[in-house]
Amino acid sequence: MLKAVLFDMDGLIFDTESIYKQSWQYAATEQGLTITDDFYQQFIGVQTLNVREYSLSIFTMLSICHAIKPCEMNTSII
Protein backbone atom coordinates (compact mmCIF):
# COMPACT_ATOMS: atom_id res chain seq x y z
CA MET A 1 0.00 0.00 0.00
CA LEU A 2 1.31 3.44 -0.99
CA LYS A 3 1.46 5.72 2.07
CA ALA A 4 3.20 8.80 0.69
CA VAL A 5 4.40 10.46 -2.48
CA LEU A 6 7.37 12.79 -2.47
CA PHE A 7 7.79 15.52 -5.08
CA ASP A 8 11.12 17.31 -5.42
CA MET A 9 9.98 20.60 -6.94
CA ASP A 10 12.85 22.78 -5.74
CA GLY A 11 15.91 20.65 -6.45
CA LEU A 12 16.53 19.77 -2.82
CA ILE A 13 16.83 16.04 -3.38
CA PHE A 14 18.05 16.05 -6.99
CA ASP A 15 20.45 18.73 -8.19
CA THR A 16 18.79 19.78 -11.44
CA GLU A 17 20.17 23.32 -11.41
CA SER A 18 23.32 22.36 -13.32
CA ILE A 19 21.17 20.80 -16.07
CA TYR A 20 19.07 23.97 -16.34
CA LYS A 21 22.22 26.11 -16.52
CA GLN A 22 23.73 23.96 -19.26
CA SER A 23 20.47 24.16 -21.20
CA TRP A 24 20.34 27.96 -20.96
CA GLN A 25 24.00 28.23 -21.97
CA TYR A 26 23.51 25.86 -24.90
CA ALA A 27 20.45 27.77 -26.15
CA ALA A 28 22.34 31.06 -25.89
CA THR A 29 25.29 29.61 -27.81
CA GLU A 30 22.92 28.51 -30.57
CA GLN A 31 21.88 32.18 -30.86
CA GLY A 32 25.47 33.45 -30.89
CA LEU A 33 25.35 34.63 -27.27
CA THR A 34 27.11 33.61 -24.08
CA ILE A 35 25.47 33.31 -20.68
CA THR A 36 28.11 33.47 -17.97
CA ASP A 37 27.83 31.58 -14.70
CA ASP A 38 27.51 34.89 -12.83
CA PHE A 39 24.62 36.01 -15.02
CA TYR A 40 22.87 32.67 -14.58
CA GLN A 41 23.26 32.83 -10.78
CA GLN A 42 20.75 35.71 -10.80
CA PHE A 43 18.02 33.28 -11.89
CA ILE A 44 18.37 30.67 -9.17
CA GLY A 45 15.23 30.71 -7.03
CA VAL A 46 13.48 33.24 -9.29
CA GLN A 47 10.07 32.50 -10.79
CA THR A 48 10.09 31.53 -14.46
CA LEU A 49 7.99 34.54 -15.52
CA ASN A 50 10.47 36.95 -13.94
CA VAL A 51 13.42 35.17 -15.56
CA ARG A 52 11.66 35.36 -18.92
CA GLU A 53 10.93 39.08 -18.63
CA TYR A 54 14.46 39.95 -17.52
CA SER A 55 16.08 37.76 -20.17
CA LEU A 56 13.93 39.25 -22.92
CA SER A 57 14.88 42.77 -21.87
CA ILE A 58 18.61 41.93 -21.90
CA PHE A 59 18.53 40.01 -25.18
CA THR A 60 16.38 42.68 -26.84
CA MET A 61 18.87 45.34 -25.76
CA LEU A 62 21.73 43.26 -27.21
CA SER A 63 19.83 42.85 -30.49
CA ILE A 64 19.31 46.59 -30.75
CA CYS A 65 22.98 47.25 -30.00
CA HIS A 66 23.98 44.69 -32.60
CA ALA A 67 21.78 46.36 -35.21
CA ILE A 68 23.44 49.72 -34.50
CA LYS A 69 27.08 48.56 -34.17
CA PRO A 70 27.37 44.91 -35.25
CA CYS A 71 31.17 44.78 -35.10
CA GLU A 72 31.44 46.21 -31.60
CA MET A 73 28.84 44.11 -29.82
CA ASN A 74 30.00 42.03 -26.89
CA THR A 75 27.79 38.97 -26.79
CA SER A 76 28.88 37.86 -23.32
CA ILE A 77 26.21 38.54 -20.77
CA ILE A 78 27.51 39.42 -17.36
Side-chain angles (χ1 to χ4, degrees):
M1 171 190 278
L2 185 63
K3 294 188 179 193
V5 176
L6 178 65
F7 292 97
D8 179 29
M9 302 300 286
D10 63 357
L12 185 61
I13 297 172
F14 300 105
D15 179 18
T16 55
E17 198 61 52
S18 61
I19 296 169
Y20 289 127
K21 181 176 79 169
Q22 289 174 0
S23 298
W24 273 87
Q25 289 175 329
Y26 176 79
T29 301
E30 289 292 307
Q31 299 301 315
L33 302 169
T34 302
I35 293 180
T36 64
D37 291 343
D38 290 336
F39 181 77
Y40 183 80
Q41 288 289 338
Q42 300 174 66
F43 297 146
I44 296 175
V46 178
Q47 292 182 3
T48 303
L49 182 59
N50 295 341
V51 171
R52 180 181 177 274
E53 289 174 359
Y54 182 69
S55 298
L56 283 174
S57 70
I58 294 295
F59 294 132
T60 300
M61 180 181 66
L62 285 174
S63 295
I64 291 168
C65 290
H66 182 64
I68 295 170
K69 297 181 182 180
C71 296
E72 298 177 22
M73 187 175 108
N74 180 356
T75 58
S76 291
I77 299 175
I78 298 175

